Amino acid sequence: MKKYKITFWVTTTIIFLMEGLAPALTSQSQMAIDGITQLGYPVYFSGMLAAFKFLGACALIIPKVSARIKEWAYAGFGIDFLSAFISIWVVMGFGPMLILPVVFMIILVLSYKSYHKLNNA
């Protein structure tokens, strides 16, 4: 049980910091705006995506949030990482940038599986 608890908190903290907090703090930076427009999305999409990511990350890391909300947050991040993979692949082709959404999807899956192991115990 301790293994699942450690896995959950480490992976969920990574998701919270990298996909919730970092975008919330940097979504209006020039680098973030350039990155989002390079993929063909409008500038306003960056702020909207950062807000949803922050809310989803908070839903995952706050223990008192209901299981249904957490499930929606996990689904939203899964869609986000899959969409990021497809967007990067279509615009930039197959390259090293594709590794980021894959790595975050693996971290998300580990968090999801450990979350359910803890809830079932």
Side-chain angles (χ1 to χ4, degrees):
M1 195 51 58
K2 187 175 182 180
K3 173 178 76 169
Y4 296 121
K5 192 176 276 193
I6 290 170
T7 302
F8 172 76
W9 282 109
V10 168
T11 55
T12 306
T13 300
I14 291 170
I15 295 292
F16 177 76
L17 293 174
M18 300 303 291
E19 292 297 316
L21 196 58
L25 297 175
T26 63
S27 68
Q28 299 305 311
S29 71
Q30 192 59 46
M31 188 171 86
I33 291 170
D34 291 345
I36 207 84
T37 56
Q38 183 181 11
L39 292 174
Y41 297 106
V43 175
Y44 71 84
F45 191 70
S46 177
M48 183 178 68
L49 189 59
F52 287 135
K53 283 182 170 188
F54 181 72
L55 292 172
C58 286
L60 293 182
I61 205 156
I62 297 171
K64 298 282 185 190
V65 173
S66 74
R68 181 172 287 187
I69 300 295
K70 286 185 186 289
E71 289 289 332
W72 277 99
Y74 278 116
F77 278 115
I79 292 167
D80 176 49
F81 299 145
L82 182 60
S83 298
F85 181 86
I86 292 168
S87 294
I88 294 167
W89 187 14
V90 167
V91 173
M92 298 178 184
F94 190 77
M97 288 296 292
L98 286 175
I99 195 75
L100 285 175
V102 172
V103 167
F104 280 112
M105 183 64 99
I106 291 167
I107 293 170
L108 184 73
V109 168
L110 289 172
S111 173
Y112 183 76
K113 286 186 174 277
S114 60
Y115 168 72
H116 279 288
K117 292 281 187 183
L118 290 172
N119 274 356
N120 291 337

